[in-house]
Amino acid sequence: MTTIAPDVIESLVSFEEIADAARLVAADLDTGRFTLGDIANRCARVYGTDSIGRLATEIRVAQKRTLYDYAAVAARYELRARAHYSDLGMTFSHFKA
């Protein structure tokens, strides 16, 4: 995950600098949802579907359903499709529908 040091955040002056930093972090969060889904799907293949709930608890996802949703969306779209549509500005939420 993208982290930006507090002193770097404090050095952001213009609105555009702040927006660029926020876009970078938001894009990373969006990609992270797919990655968590891929990891959850791997867990399910190795340990069974019920293991996703256990994994959610282990990694402190607030609601187990969230990790199941990430896994379902990630399973529906290949990496190539994700990259193509992300380049067009689509976010994880677009894929959820």
Side-chain angles (χ1 to χ4, degrees):
M1 177 170 167
T2 300
T3 53
I4 301 174
D7 58 322
V8 173
I9 292 171
E10 289 302 315
S11 74
L12 302 173
V13 177
S14 72
F15 182 83
E16 197 54 42
E17 288 175 327
I18 292 168
D20 284 345
R23 273 190 286 276
L24 178 68
V25 173
D28 196 38
L29 286 172
D30 198 63
T31 302
R33 290 181 182 110
F34 275 117
T35 304
L36 277 174
D38 291 334
I39 292 168
N41 286 324
R42 172 67 179 151
C43 185
R45 284 192 305 275
V46 174
Y47 296 104
T49 304
D50 293 340
S51 66
I52 292 177
R54 196 170 115 224
L55 179 62
T57 300
E58 183 69 26
I59 64 172
R60 296 186 179 128
V61 170
Q63 301 216 350
K64 292 177 185 180
R65 182 80 244 149
T66 300
L67 192 54
Y68 280 102
D69 289 344
Y70 291 174
V73 173
R76 278 196 300 259
Y77 298 97
E78 294 179 7
L79 239 68
R80 191 175 340 156
R82 296 177 202 173
H84 172 73
Y85 290 113
S86 292
D87 288 347
L88 298 175
M90 293 178 72
T91 64
F92 182 86
S93 297
H94 289 104
F95 289 92
K96 264 182 90 170

